[in-house]
Amino acid sequence: MPDIITDRFDAKSCGSCAFWEGERTICNCDVEYSELAVGKCSNPDSPVYGRSVKSVFYCFSTKDLGR
């Protein structure tokens, strides 16, 4: 059984990103998602824009890569 992760909505994992289009539950400032969930990245500043990424990946945004 996959683990359910609870993060702040502004955490750096894909599952907690406003641009991640995957299955999750949002409640106030917290978000819950499965460690096995996969969703599409809709952040145009990310090098993985338009691709499927796992919820547990660290944010791929170019601003976080120092570009």
Side-chain angles (χ1 to χ4, degrees), residues 11-58:
K12 293 291 186 184
S13 64
C14 289
S16 63
C17 178
F19 293 102
W20 187 75
E21 298 174 2
E23 188 175 330
R24 61 185 169 179
T25 302
I26 299 171
C27 181
N28 296 323
C29 293
D30 293 329
V31 59
E32 290 183 346
Y33 51 90
S34 167
E35 67 180 349
L36 301 178
V38 176
K40 181 179 168 187
C41 177
S42 63
N43 182 352
D45 293 331
S46 174
V48 294
Y49 173 72
R51 294 179 23 205
S52 292
V53 291
K54 290 185 177 182
S55 62
V56 294
F57 284 161
Y58 186 77

